[in-house]
Amino acid sequence: MAIIIKTEKELELMREAGVCMSKVHSFVETLIKPGISTYDLDQEIEAYIRSLGCIPTEKGYEGYPASICASVNNVVVHGIPRKDIILKEGDIISVDITLAKNGYQSDACRTLPVGKVSEEAERLMRVTKESFFKATQQAYVGNHLFDISAAMDEYVIKNGYSTVRDLTGHGIGKDMHEDPMVPCYKQKRRGPKLVHGMTICIEPMVNQGTWQLYYSNDDENWTLETADGRLSSHYENTIAITNEGPEILTLTEGEEIPEFFKNDLHINKHML
């Protein structure tokens, strides 16, 4: 495992990319409504990313055909935007975006309601987001990487859900995916020690039912769905491990923070 430790200059560049991501997800929130296709979402979001002087780095990554992943209801990740996927009242949609600014990447996902959704869907989205913050409470210098995974998994299980095991969070920097992998579920070992300058993506992917997934048959092995057809939620931010604490680089402006985390919050200073 070759973890790339970022210099102070590189951290500044990643903060700038994080500000752009924050703006993009704020823009995404204005688009989500019944009647819009995931294809149109992709087109509008790509144009907005480019208007910020950024590159949508999901587009073309290992052949991926779009600028966002748009995963609806029981789709866990990598939902390919299509003209015939039309959002309807009561759906939930995960919009996962990666962009680059000045050569450095930023990655974040939000699961959003389409109009009014069920209480069950609301609770799933809330627990998923809270599990991110429970995990981030462990992202301090001197702790170990898999302390993050354990905190995430324990919170999800306590709330009656399951964490996806076939996919993980990851390191990030000049490349979209760097070492280390950041599993969503508890590991037998503690993993490498966290040090100042590590940059990672913590991304709980939480299912209502089983953690098991399967590949949809309507694309080239991209779209993963829950094996039991139940809902899935995904929440992700890029964070920097710093001597002052975990710095969240991609919070959306005005985003509600769980009360239990507020004393731990270190926000990208460019967002203040």
Side-chain angles (χ1 to χ4, degrees):
M1 182 182 297
I3 299 173
I4 300 171
I5 305 302
K6 310 305 186 295
T7 66
E8 295 306 314
K9 175 60 177 175
E10 288 177 310
L11 289 175
E12 281 298 306
L13 290 170
M14 293 196 67
R15 289 181 181 111
E16 291 176 15
V19 169
C20 292
M21 181 63 77
S22 175
K23 292 177 180 178
V24 171
H25 270 292
S26 290
F27 177 67
V28 171
E29 290 179 3
T30 71
L31 300 175
I32 303 300
K33 59 185 182 295
I36 191 169
S37 72
T38 56
Y39 173 85
D40 287 336
L41 282 178
D42 177 66
Q43 296 299 296
E44 294 208 40
I45 294 167
E46 178 179 350
Y48 186 72
I49 290 171
R50 294 189 186 279
S51 77
L52 297 174
C54 300
I55 299 169
T57 47
E58 283 179 9
K59 192 167 190 176
Y61 180 77
E62 295 187 355
Y64 188 75
S67 295
I68 66 170
C69 296
S71 304
V72 181
N73 294 334
N74 66 311
V75 176
V76 181
V77 289
H78 307 157
I80 296 176
R82 291 179 7 193
K83 292 180 178 179
D84 62 346
I85 300 178
I86 310 295
L87 299 185
K88 64 183 185 301
E89 186 87 12
D91 285 341
I92 62 172
I93 179 171
S94 300
V95 181
D96 193 0
I97 301 168
T98 309
L99 59 79
K101 176 79 170 180
N102 296 324
Y104 283 82
Q105 306 260 354
S106 186
D107 190 356
C109 180
R110 300 289 185 270
T111 300
L112 300 168
V114 182
K116 184 175 177 55
V117 302
S118 67
E119 291 183 7
E120 292 86 353
E122 286 279 8
R123 182 174 184 272
L124 175 66
M125 291 187 291
R126 175 178 56 79
V127 169
T128 303
K129 181 175 179 176
E130 289 173 350
S131 73
F132 164 85
F133 287 98
K134 287 290 185 181
T136 302
Q137 283 183 315
Q138 300 300 316
Y140 277 80
V141 168
N143 283 2
H144 290 257
L145 182 68
F146 296 154
D147 296 339
I148 292 170
S149 304
M152 189 187 320
D153 194 31
E154 288 167 3
Y155 189 75
V156 168
I157 290 172
K158 182 179 78 172
N159 280 279
Y161 300 128
S162 62
T163 47
V164 168
R165 297 186 172 213
D166 296 334
L167 303 154
T168 71
H170 52 89
I172 189 170
K174 286 185 176 178
D175 294 322
M176 182 190 303
H177 295 132
E178 296 181 352
D179 285 334
M181 293 190 299
V182 186
C184 297
Y185 63 99
K186 192 171 185 177
Q187 303 293 295
K188 292 182 179 178
R189 295 175 292 177
R190 294 192 71 192
K193 188 171 283 191
L194 301 176
V195 300
H196 178 87
M198 290 176 65
T199 49
I200 60 174
C201 292
I202 298 175
E203 51 178 314
M205 292 159 272
V206 178
N207 294 347
Q208 271 187 324
T210 178
W211 60 265
Q212 294 174 306
L213 314 179
Y214 77 97
Y215 278 106
S216 173
N217 294 322
D218 61 356
D219 58 34
E220 297 178 358
N221 289 333
W222 279 109
T223 302
L224 280 160
E225 302 182 12
T226 57
D228 57 9
R230 299 184 72 186
L231 294 178
S232 184
S233 177
H234 184 187
Y235 182 90
E236 175 186 16
N237 281 304
T238 300
I239 74 165
I241 309 297
T242 77
N243 290 327
E244 291 72 42
E247 183 179 346
I248 304 174
L249 304 183
T250 52
L251 281 180
T252 308
E253 184 176 358
E255 185 170 356
E256 186 174 347
I257 306 301
E259 197 66 35
F260 65 76
F261 188 79
K262 287 182 179 176
N263 290 336
D264 295 278
L265 183 60
H266 297 274
I267 191 170
N268 183 350
K269 65 185 181 182
H270 294 288
M271 295 179 182
L272 299 178

